[in-house]
Amino acid sequence: MRKILTTAFATTTFLLGGCAMGYGGNPIGAVLGSVLGGAGTQDGYDTNRLNDFERAAANACAREASRYGRISLERVEQRSRDIVRVDGRIDSRDRNRDQFLCEFRSDGRIVNFRTG
């Protein structure tokens, strides 16, 4: 029993360490890959063409929106030097909350998140 638990712990630690590093050592790519579909696209939205700031915004906003259900991005747009706006859809049972809007600031914080 002890041997099985030790092996399971070591395997889990190794796998989680790999997730933290992401694709090619990029943690943003890891989360975007898992949340947005792995190939840089989500329902036709190409996340590969985003700059680092937009990618970080898409990552944070997708993580926040995924709390409500499966998500898809519709638009990622840098509105000013310090703000990126992310619009998307949430596939959930509640039709009143099937869209989301998120604004991400350059200091790494979500400053506005709305569903509806």
Side-chain angles (χ1 to χ4, degrees), residues 50-67:
L50 302 177
N51 65 39
D52 290 340
F53 183 30
E54 291 169 330
R55 199 170 294 125
N59 174 33
C61 292
R63 204 172 334 123
E64 182 68 24
S66 68
R67 296 171 51 197

Side-chain angles (χ1 to χ4, degrees), residues 4-20:
I4 292 172
L5 288 176
T6 303
T7 304
F9 178 77
T11 303
T12 304
T13 302
F14 177 76
L15 290 174
L16 289 177
C19 289

Side-chain angles (χ1 to χ4, degrees), residues 1 8-9 25 34 44 47 51 54 57 62 65 76 80 84 86-87 89 94 96 99 102 105 109 113:
M1 178 72 170
F9 178 77
S34 63
T47 57
N51 65 39
E54 291 169 330
V76 178
S80 70
V84 171
V86 178
D87 296 321
R89 293 201 158 287
D94 185 358
N96 294 325
Q99 296 178 331
C102 178
R105 201 167 53 194
R109 297 184 58 113
F113 184 86

Side-chain angles (χ1 to χ4, degrees), residues 26 28 32 45 47-63 73 76-86 102-111:
N26 182 358
I28 292 172
L32 281 174
Y45 192 87
T47 57
N48 290 328
R49 62 185 174 87
L50 302 177
N51 65 39
D52 290 340
F53 183 30
E54 291 169 330
R55 199 170 294 125
N59 174 33
C61 292
R63 204 172 334 123
L73 294 181
V76 178
E77 177 182 3
Q78 189 162 349
R79 304 288 274 205
S80 70
R81 183 176 173 209
D82 295 325
I83 299 286
V84 171
R85 179 177 164 164
V86 178
C102 178
E103 291 181 343
F104 182 79
R105 201 167 53 194
S106 60
D107 66 358
R109 297 184 58 113
I110 294 175
V111 293

